């Protein structure tokens, strides 16, 4: 039997595994590929909009055409901080700051759902000068509406699409609009076909690169490529603007050049040198506990017991992860050349320790082929 696998942005593992690869150099409609331009935000005076993007948005609206704006972070601001004592509001369950949601007047954790009402004064020093740092789709929507009051504006993210049928209705309204602007998180980049979208733009292409994940470059390249595919899908030419604070990063430059094969080959070379998938299999073992320190001690003990059974395999760690949903976490990462053989080797050790850990309030989690390590 033959298996045909199709994707505009296949994973590196899939790209490497497939024997015969066929590239489709043209769009199904015959439309030309869009022009893609990198905008270096270090030369701009604003955080959200470059002069280039504002100009292109105005031209698009006047022509009665549509635009899509991507900012892959929801909420109004990344965190709230007191300007006097420096206090940052943190989640009580996770080691992360709370995201500002202005319309709800709430501070929310996007990991566990914990929330607090928006404060008016600092509980530590009583100062009223509280500042909102960073940006999210809610703030982007507010700024777009203020700058382009004549344009219909639609926001698509997890907050606006949570109700049953909300997402299809919003997209239908955008499709019927004239000179409309659709903005949101990565949901706006996924497979939509609007013939009169002639402009798509990334507000901050660097967000995924801020996370210490080995897939960060791959995820960034894929998202930029997907967004570029939304523009100019019919007879009107398309334009794509990528706003970035790191215009020299290779994955961003290759996405702007639509250099798919070049990116995959370069990223495969990097993965080969570092010993990451597809050239090694990863097994992430996490110990977590409600009591701080126990998770770290458990994973250190686990590594000591596992290493004799894993002769020849590379074991990284232990390393602490950020506290999540009230659980302190530590992990080790195994790079294996044969997953089944490795699992078979250490399964008896794990089964022997699972009950002992459980009695001490420690959870043991084994994640084979993890997509994220944090």
């Amino acid at each position: 039997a033959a298996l045909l696998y199709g994707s505009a942005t296949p994973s590196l593992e899939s790209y490497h595994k497939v024997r015969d690869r066929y590239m489709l150099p043209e769009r199904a409609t015959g439309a030309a590929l869009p022009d893609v331009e990198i905008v270096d935000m270090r030369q701009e005076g604003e955080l959200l909009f470059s002069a280039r993007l504002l100009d292109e948005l105005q031209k698009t609206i006047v022509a009665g055409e549509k635009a899509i704006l991507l900012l892959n972070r929801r909420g109004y601001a990344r965190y709230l901080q007191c300007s006097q004592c420096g206090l940052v509001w943190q989640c009580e369950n996770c080691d992360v700051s709370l995201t500002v949601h202005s319309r709800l007047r709430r501070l929310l954790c996007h990991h566990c759902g914990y929330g607090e009402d928006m404060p008016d004064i600092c509980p530590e020093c009583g100062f009223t000068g509280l500042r909102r740092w960073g940006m999210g789709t809610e703030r982007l929507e507010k700024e777009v509406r203020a700058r382009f009051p004549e344009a219909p504006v639609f926001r698509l993210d997890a907050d606006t699409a949570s109700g049953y049928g909300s997402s299809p209705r919003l997209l239908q309204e955008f499709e019927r609009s004239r000179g409309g602007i659709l903005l949101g998180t990565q949901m706006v980049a996924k497979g939509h076909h609007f013939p009169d979208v002639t402009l798509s733009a990334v507000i901050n292409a660097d967000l995924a690169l801020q996370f210490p994940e080995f897939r960060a470059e791959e995820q960034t390249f894929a998202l930029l490529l997907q967004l570029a595919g939304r523009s100019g899908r019919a007879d009107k030419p398309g334009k794509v603007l990528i706003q970035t604070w790191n215009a020299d990063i290779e994955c961003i430059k290759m996405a702007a050049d639509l250099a798919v094969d070049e990116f995959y080959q370069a990223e495969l070379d990097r993965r080969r040198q570092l010993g990451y998938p597809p050239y090694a299999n990863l097994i992430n073992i996490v110990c977590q506990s409600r009591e701080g320190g126990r998770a770290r001690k458990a994973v250190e003990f686990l590594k000591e017991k596992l290493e004799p059974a894993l002769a020849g395999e590379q074991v990284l760690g232990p390393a602490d992860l950020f506290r999540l949903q009230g659980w302190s976490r530590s992990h080790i990462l195994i790079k294996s050349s044969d997953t089944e053989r490795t699992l078979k080797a250490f399964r008896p050790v794990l089964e022997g320790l699972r009950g002992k850990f459980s009695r001490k309030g420690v959870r043991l989690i084994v994640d084979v082929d993890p997509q994220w390590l944090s």
Side-chain angles (χ1 to χ4, degrees), residues 98-116:
L98 295 172
T99 301
V100 179
H101 287 253
S102 182
R103 186 169 297 175
L104 299 174
R105 289 199 56 79
R106 297 274 289 171
L107 304 176
L108 299 176
C109 175
H110 290 174
H111 292 278
C112 72
Y114 171 81
E116 299 178 6

Side-chain angles (χ1 to χ4, degrees), residues 326-352:
W327 293 91
S328 297
R329 304 179 300 149
S330 292
H331 76 136
I332 56 174
L333 185 67
I334 301 170
K335 292 183 177 181
S336 170
S337 57
D338 186 329
T339 301
E340 288 300 322
R341 185 186 65 199
T342 301
L343 291 173
K344 185 177 180 180
F346 73 59
R347 186 175 285 115
V349 180
L350 290 185
E351 292 304 321

Side-chain angles (χ1 to χ4, degrees), residues 71-76 101 136-139 141 154-163 166-167 170 182-188:
L71 177 57
N72 205 21
R73 176 177 288 145
R74 63 189 175 100
Y76 186 89
H101 287 253
T137 50
E138 188 181 355
R139 179 183 171 188
E141 179 188 16
F154 307 87
R155 174 161 60 97
L156 181 62
D157 56 25
D159 296 323
T160 63
S162 57
S166 299
S167 179
L170 187 148
L182 175 67
L183 61 90
T185 54
Q186 60 182 329
M187 300 168 73
V188 303

Side-chain angles (χ1 to χ4, degrees), residues 44-219:
E44 301 290 331
E46 292 195 36
L47 292 175
L48 279 173
F49 301 106
S50 62
R52 187 83 177 88
L53 177 55
L54 290 174
D55 181 55
E56 289 297 334
L57 277 172
Q58 186 63 48
K59 291 178 181 177
T60 301
I61 294 169
V62 169
E65 298 166 1
K66 295 186 177 73
I68 294 179
L69 306 180
L70 168 67
L71 177 57
N72 205 21
R73 176 177 288 145
R74 63 189 175 100
Y76 186 89
R78 186 177 178 183
Y79 62 92
L80 185 70
Q81 185 176 38
C82 174
S83 301
Q84 181 160 289
C85 71
L87 174 70
V88 174
W89 274 255
Q90 299 280 332
C91 175
E92 65 176 23
N93 303 314
C94 312
D95 288 334
V96 296
S97 57
L98 295 172
T99 301
V100 179
H101 287 253
S102 182
R103 186 169 297 175
L104 299 174
R105 289 199 56 79
R106 297 274 289 171
L107 304 176
L108 299 176
C109 175
H110 290 174
H111 292 278
C112 72
Y114 171 81
E116 299 178 6
D117 291 334
M118 188 90 73
D120 295 317
I121 64 172
C122 175
E124 296 292 329
C125 67
F127 191 61
T128 57
L130 308 181
R131 299 195 63 180
R132 305 171 183 185
W133 294 97
M135 65 191 85
T137 50
E138 188 181 355
R139 179 183 171 188
L140 177 62
E141 179 188 16
K142 179 181 177 182
E143 295 285 345
V144 169
R145 290 186 184 278
R147 291 174 181 270
F148 303 99
E150 73 280 14
V153 179
F154 307 87
R155 174 161 60 97
L156 181 62
D157 56 25
D159 296 323
T160 63
S162 57
Y164 178 75
S166 299
S167 179
R169 282 196 299 271
L170 187 148
L171 292 172
Q172 288 168 7
E173 291 174 9
F174 174 65
E175 187 172 24
R176 290 193 295 264
S177 70
R178 186 179 187 279
I181 300 174
L182 175 67
L183 61 90
T185 54
Q186 60 182 329
M187 300 168 73
V188 303
K190 304 294 186 179
H192 306 299
H193 176 69
F194 299 109
D196 48 357
V197 168
T198 56
L199 174 66
S200 57
V202 186
I203 300 302
N204 186 346
D206 312 316
L207 287 179
L209 297 172
Q210 297 171 4
F211 295 94
E213 296 282 353
F214 74 93
R215 298 186 195 273
E217 286 81 3
E218 178 185 354
Q219 296 283 350

